[in-house]
Amino acid sequence: MEPVTLTPVGLRCAHLTDPLSIAPDRVRFSWRAEGGGSDSRQSGYQVQVTQGTAPPAAGGRVAWDSGRVASSSCSGISYEGAGLRRGDRYTWRVRIWDSAGAASAWSPTASFEVELDPASGWPASWIGLDPARDNPSPPSEAGPSDPVDSALRPAPYLRRSFALAEPPALARLYITALGLYEARLNGARVGNAYLTPGWTDYRQRILYQAYDVTALLRPGENVLGAVIADGWYAGFVGFDAKRPRAHYGSAPELLAQLVITSASGEVTLVITDSQWQGRYAAIRHADLLMGERQDLRLSPEGWDQPGFTADGWRPVLCRPGDGRPLAADPGPPVRVIESRRPASITARGDGKFIVDFGQNLTGWVQLRAAGPAGEVVRVRHAEILDGDGALYTENLRTARQVDEFTLAGTPAVLEPRFTMHGFRYAQIDAPAPPQDVVARVAHSAIEATGSFECSQPWLEQLFRTIDWGQRGNFINIPTDCPQRDERLGWLGDAQVFARTACYNRDVAAFFAKWLDDVGDAQLPSGSFSDFAPRLHVEWAGAPAWGDAGVIVPWTIWKMYGDTSVLRRHYGAMTAWMEFIERDNPSGLRTQNLGNSYNDWLAPGGDNTPPGLLATAYWAYDATLMAEIALAAGQPADAARYRATAAKIRSAFMAAYVSPDGEVSSGTQTAYVLALHMGLVPDGRRQQAAARLVDAIRAADWHLTTGFAGVGYLLPVLSSHGHDDVAYRLLAQQGMPSWRYMLDQGATTIWERWDSIPPGGGFETAAMNSFNHYALGSVGEWLYRYLLGIDQEPGSAGFGQLLLHPRPGRPLTWARGRYDSVRGPVSCSWAVTGDTFRYEVSLPPNVTATVRVPATDASAVRDGTGQPPASVSVPGDGPQEAVFLAGPGPHQFTGPSPI
Ligand code: BGC
């Protein structure tokens, strides 16, 4: 028998570990092959799924056995067995064969449970309180004259007690809210997720979570409770002064069912219904933008535990389910990811303390406070301090970001439960110096998958700053910013940052969730929207914004190799393509550009013609759609989209490209888009790239790109032989540049290149966020070009790697890692004297082309002294020594290209 070389590890279903509720059509399996030598490729796999908890060997009923499938695929493997039973638990395992045909042992089992039937699986009713009937106390001390204060309402506490004869064998809590919920069972918080059930267009889709609560139940009396708050459903969201809040409804409601299975298989249901009681209590208001106010004197001690006498609690309002689709949350939960200690605390007198957490972040402050009953501790949040060392809050616009706690007279740990703030600084107004202050950093649980180090500390800092921008904004949806009265899922921002986001962190499940929001926000015309989830406006999506509906699914497929995202959104994408074509039959996209943000926030004025930008993005969509159609099994459409792309390309060239490679307007973004989207005739590409360099030179080696061009700027320079210019822009310290932000103390990427203008002070408070990730889309270049971690064009899911590092001054070395779906890809390079050395470590189950740049490519050798398989001598860049490599470590040495 051959030695076994490969083992399947990291089993996941729908990009989640053992999900407790997953829609049947999302059930997709993935794993990684581990171990093995330099030829360790997976030649086949076998997946077995059994109903229940026992694997087949232990007598479980097999629901699907794929048999041995000859394939190297290890992600996006769809379930093809008999219908999955709603609410049931399934166990699965996989074994794989290596290239020599040796089979691994079966993996340890993994599991998934199936989403409840959206129509018949929810006997529960929506429950809540009536603010008018149940809240006799005045809305706020500030008085009803303040419209914000009078809109803020206390959070309902809801409870139900029930009896169990025996401890359960298994118990699941399925729960959601119109608003936000925190579930409690017998005094304990259920789960560790925040801001649940998350933000969707509740008119179209309501997500719920499932929790394993078996260990929280006991024989005798049990109490299930929940606190619910306005959240995105009823609270303040966005910036529309005419409609600042209550976008989907006016008061929060809860829907829950606890399914308890006894050892003998008997099922008991505890559902939200008229038997529940409720009251308003300690949380006097809770709002995402405004903050939270708690009066600890009103905490109903023990309310969520057995033995509590619910005096003064009222019957809840109760209405049956209204048929709105309930779906299991496909995304990762928002969690407290870390607690960060202050870098400094400064007393400002008058009981005011300014805490600097040393990092702009998203979450809230937790502290311990003691003081007499009735004393108030107030926590304000800001991203930055003004010249006097006070919090600068003007850029928050109408968002308050203030939490307030009225003490009960006993020492207490204070923290809000239903709000989020974007801040680096907090001002704490307290009777005594606050104790144990930490920032609770909260965001969607997206694991880091990338790392980057190099010889220049500022570039490492840029990398961290980009990642913190992502962490601060990936909160259930990708928001533009986490602090001011906006926090919307702007499609343009997400589109330009998506590839960087995927390298930095595992966002497969995160984007799976948000792409449903993008689909829900699509208008009947076929137009994608500017932001998703949608509020009440019905704008057509602007160019580079609406186009995200094609670009983001394509990016997710490329990075994770799972075609299901393409199939799921295929109809939406084709409707978008028809929407554009309908009004723009000539191939130039000049009509129906929505709000046309064009090259948003381009420094020095946005001089790119809107028709040029729009047409370029449309051509890009069409090119991607041709690839998408093939991957989604629609070859006829692929041919059609290739024809559409060709039509747009000719129209673009006729309208905007001159015979000598000049692109109309001459802006950097015009060149970048024309080159990136393939809209310059092949023979003129170098001329056009040279003109891009001229435009950069004319700006004294500064960039002038806004949101729509910035992400492609460095990649375009590098792919046309101008790595030196890419590095020059990266190292530029004058405004506008990334390094300028860092030099001004940025710890997250700013919204504007000049958020702090060179003369000091702040750009207009009307729009000046210090945490907007879009301009951080340069992160993609750090991974794909600087380190060279990329994949072959046309491939997806990192099975066919392309490693093509781009060394450049002032760097002398760099190293980094990307944990792909096939496993970690690590690279490092160093220039020592005249020698360039590139080292890579590749996971099993990949092939790789390594292109090592050199002044003389034929002189490059691999670690065993072998010359390259071929040498490429392009006219427009360094020579490259081409090697073919497989799993394992490799090193290459040659004459340095820099
Ligand atoms: C947001 C942006 C968004 C833009 C649309 C702004 O208010 O903050 O990030 O993409 O509007 O132009």
Side-chain angles (χ1 to χ4, degrees), residues 800-818:
Q800 293 164 263
L801 304 178
L802 173 61
L803 300 155
H804 56 153
R806 303 300 182 120
R809 298 291 178 196
L811 266 56
T812 53
W813 63 267
R815 65 169 161 261
R817 189 197 81 242
Y818 171 56

Side-chain angles (χ1 to χ4, degrees), residues 726-743:
Y727 273 97
R728 200 162 177 170
L729 290 176
L730 203 60
Q732 172 63 260
Q733 286 179 273
M735 207 283 292
S737 69
W738 294 283
R739 228 177 139 182
Y740 172 79
M741 293 187 199
L742 302 178
D743 289 345

